[in-house]
Amino acid sequence: MSLLREPLLLLARSERVKKLVSTLPVSSGIVHGYVPGESNEEAVDATATLVEDGLTVTLDFLGEDTLDAAQADATVEAYLNLLGQLSARGLARKAEVSVKLSAIGQALPSIGHKTALENARTICRAARNAGTTVTLDMEDHTTTDATLAILAELRQDFPETGAVLQAYLHRTEEDCRALAHQGSRVRLCKGAYNEPESVAFQDKLDVDKSYVRCLKVLLRGSGYPMIATHDPRMVAIASSIAADAGRDKGTYEFQMLYGIRPEEQKRLAASGETVRVYLPYGQEWYGYLMRRLAERPQNLSFFVKSLVSKK
């Protein structure tokens, strides 16, 4: 699968391939199944549909690794507009936003931390005014400490700001212990980046074991765990741990990607579980999708399987 990395990265930069993917009937239908559109309006419409189905939502305006201050500012404005639309349509109580710090200036030379923090504060303030919250997405391991540092600063004024931790990193169980406190919202995912063996588990079984250990820490803690998984076995394990810990439904939530196992999302919600759909959108959808596949080509089989079964 590693042989696919360079070709996928080349395709990520191809406007010609993007045009083909987005216009051919079969492939455009597939893309629309995972990314509902490029505009705020399309994303808000998709959010309304999900909310009608009993689901909650977190929206990610796509873009990352920004090295242009103007582009970072444009991303902030997009989030402010999005939050305004969610509020205007009465959706803010059911929909929050997810923000990648690299999309709002974290990678800018010399001023990255300051810029990302100020921009994140602006988005958090707008989210609170709209009646919702922000979760800071986690990126590759080189940014983990910097992201957690900004999270700590944001939580001084916006304690509701959510964190994301990735179970395949060796450090994550300890990070879970540090964040499993009252009022702390923590999304636990397995991780999608291609990380070195020195910092991350490489074997799927080891990643799964780490995920379960982290689940135990979070669900037995006093924070609000957000369990990001499509794995039926992990959903069952999480439910069992929650029950053993005396957790009531609604004191934690499950999260799944837009377009992945939508019937299972509805089933869990109908059973009384809180289910949040991670909804990525924006003009950067093509590069986002191809980079995710390039960073961890095993994800390709995951997407192919999801095309065969939407359950």
Side-chain angles (χ1 to χ4, degrees), residues 190 203-212 215 227 229-241 254 256 261 264 267-268:
K190 290 185 180 179
D203 184 78
K204 181 182 183 300
L205 180 58
D206 289 333
V207 175
D208 285 351
K209 288 179 178 179
S210 176
Y211 194 89
V212 172
L215 277 177
I227 305 160
T229 182
H230 306 95
D231 185 339
R233 191 165 58 97
M234 287 300 164
V235 170
I237 290 171
S239 297
S240 177
I241 296 171
F254 289 100
M256 296 184 185
R261 305 193 72 206
E264 174 66 1
R267 185 194 71 79
L268 283 170

Side-chain angles (χ1 to χ4, degrees), residues 11 31 100 155 160 189 200 215 232 248 265 268 290 305:
L11 287 175
V31 169
K100 287 181 173 61
R155 282 187 168 181
E160 66 274 20
C189 61
L215 277 177
D248 294 327
Q265 294 172 14
L268 283 170
M290 301 306 292
K305 289 178 183 176

